[in-house]
Amino acid sequence: MAATTLSNIGLAGLAVMGQNLALNIAEKGFPISVYNRTTSKVDETLDRAHNEGHLPLTGHYTPRDFVLSIQKPRSVIILVKAGAPVDQTIAALSAHMEPGDTIIDGGNEWYENTERRIVEAESKGLLYLGMGVSGGEEGARNGPSLMPGGSFEAYNNIKNIVEKVAAQVEDGPCVTYIGEGGSGNFVKMVHNGIEYGDMQLISEAYDVLKNVGGLSNAELADIFDEWNRGELESFLIEITADIFKVKDEHGDGELVDKILDKTGMKGTGKWTVQQAAELSVAAPTIAASLDCRYLSGLKNERVAAAEVLAGAGLKEEVGSVRSGIDKKRLIDDVRQALYASKICSYAQGMNLLRAKSLEKNWNLNFGELARIWKGGCIIRAVFLDRIKKAYQRNPNLASLVVDPDFAKEMVQRQAAWRRVVGLAISAGISTPGMCASLSYFDTYRRARLPANLVQAQRDLFGAHTYERVDRPGAFHTEWTKLARKNV
């Protein structure tokens, strides 16, 4: 094969994300080879490349032909299901690769699997990247947020391609070299955890506005459209406004009201909460959003519980709370509560990344992470620019809550935030995400907590000792003996 006909890069795995990313790469002017075990997917991608402007994309039907069609040092992106399929694909392709070639896994992989594969690749002289890809189908095709971690040399081999392919924002492409090992996968995992929190908080804002405020879907669409022109401007707020506008083609009203209230999940949110526990980092908003997905799955149990508790005399409080509501004020309060709650959710995610970065010596750049999330990805939001600036001002920021700008905003919004949570509680509407964020804020801002009593309890029943506020050292007290001595 003449050298001129070789592709710049290859992509194996042509499901929705793979196809769209391949077409994006080709459209940006980089000839690309594609491969899939199911040959019909290769044909489908070739048809799309032809129909979308004769893009420079060639299809291959065996691992050998695919690998040999790429110029050296070869770079191959794989986009297959996480776990065993990744290992199988690597085995099939690496049999034909040479030292200096690069494998890039673009799936939602557990970071330790990536770290194992880096070592396995090195033993064959291959370079390896685990690259988080966010933005869904739309992002993959038109510009995702990319989070590559692993071999820096491998990143440099594809830097010019990924910088063109990623979403573009005013301060550069939404891609950066994240760090060593599985850092790219870990950052994408936490990104997904933040996404869980964001979606939960928005659903709670909707619940309060709909059920306490009595707002229609048309009113909700207008409110979310308006919010998307202010401080809450983000992809998730924008799509939420669109969702409220879609009519049900099978009946009256809007489609959103006909959707079963059971949430699916792929597992990255669970991993985030598990890692938070492993690292002793509080992530209550993200954990609450995960719990809500679990509870949503208990649809039959919830329906039965509603009946049993109604039979036991539980009264719906929503109606009586709603009667005295000032709608305009409620809408503004909910906007402020949502914003303050989101800051806490992002703060928890960033603190988790910081703890892992310290443990693994990844030297993550939090300002850069906020920057590359400004475009392409699901959590893209205008306030990420403010997060970027907060970390630029202070790279060692303990929490977003204590950044001077964000601290001011939290204080300004706390009254509205408390009103919304209090109102929801009195109406019997659960707002676990907002409550978790508010509890996080209230716990973090208090110089003294009731943990002194917990320490006394631990010392009484387990002789775990305690420290004192007024003198150094560890102390143990015979609590029961002393308490009962004077009785």
Side-chain angles (χ1 to χ4, degrees), residues 143-333:
S145 174
L146 300 171
M147 298 155 244
S151 160
F152 187 60
E153 187 187 339
Y155 177 69
N156 280 331
N157 288 344
I158 59 161
K159 187 170 185 253
N160 65 325
I161 297 178
V162 291
E163 285 188 347
K164 286 263 186 1
V165 165
Q168 307 293 317
V169 290
E170 78 285 347
D171 46 8
C174 292
V175 61
T176 191
Y177 174 69
I178 300 291
E180 294 178 358
S183 60
N185 295 113
F186 195 91
V187 165
K188 173 60 165 57
M189 176 198 80
V190 173
H191 161 288
N192 287 17
I194 293 170
E195 182 185 305
Y196 272 51
D198 245 357
M199 293 167 76
Q200 176 63 29
L201 291 168
I202 291 169
S203 76
E204 292 173 17
Y206 153 66
D207 198 5
V208 171
L209 290 173
K210 180 186 178 186
N211 290 304
V212 181
L215 274 71
S216 68
N217 289 327
E219 289 173 306
L220 287 164
D222 289 345
I223 287 161
F224 276 83
D225 270 335
E226 189 184 325
W227 286 355
N228 197 45
R229 292 191 287 273
E231 64 190 12
L232 286 170
E233 184 190 325
S234 62
F235 173 68
L236 285 169
I237 295 287
E238 179 190 336
I239 65 167
T240 302
D242 288 342
I243 286 166
F244 292 126
K245 296 170 189 171
V246 176
K247 300 281 182 218
D248 178 21
E249 55 185 21
H250 300 293
D252 296 334
E254 287 77 31
L255 178 57
V256 69
D257 296 327
K258 309 288 168 62
I259 296 174
L260 182 68
D261 50 322
K262 269 175 85 166
T263 314
M265 65 192 111
K266 294 281 176 69
T268 44
K270 182 170 84 174
W271 291 347
T272 307
V273 174
Q274 286 171 333
Q275 279 295 296
E278 291 277 331
L279 292 159
S280 305
V281 172
T285 312
I286 298 170
S289 68
L290 186 67
D291 286 340
C292 276
R293 293 199 180 193
Y294 296 148
L295 284 165
S296 79
L298 306 176
K299 175 66 174 175
N300 295 340
E301 287 183 37
R302 288 187 289 112
V303 170
E307 283 178 27
V308 170
L309 291 163
L314 183 72
K315 297 268 188 293
E316 275 295 350
E317 299 294 339
V318 171
S320 58
V321 172
R322 186 191 291 178
S323 58
I325 283 297
D326 173 345
K327 266 195 194 184
K328 204 161 183 257
R329 180 171 166 185
L330 178 67
I331 292 163
D332 196 56
D333 279 358

Side-chain angles (χ1 to χ4, degrees), residues 83-133:
V86 176
D87 292 307
Q88 290 154 9
T89 306
I90 290 170
L93 300 179
S94 63
H96 310 287
M97 295 174 83
E98 297 168 54
D101 290 351
T102 295
I103 296 168
I104 303 128
D105 175 17
N108 269 336
E109 187 55 273
W110 173 238
Y111 83 100
E112 287 179 337
N113 284 341
T114 295
E115 300 200 325
R116 165 177 60 80
R117 291 177 188 132
I118 287 171
V119 173
E120 289 166 1
E122 277 173 355
S123 70
K124 299 175 184 167
L126 301 175
L127 308 176
Y128 198 91
L129 284 175
M131 182 170 74
V133 179

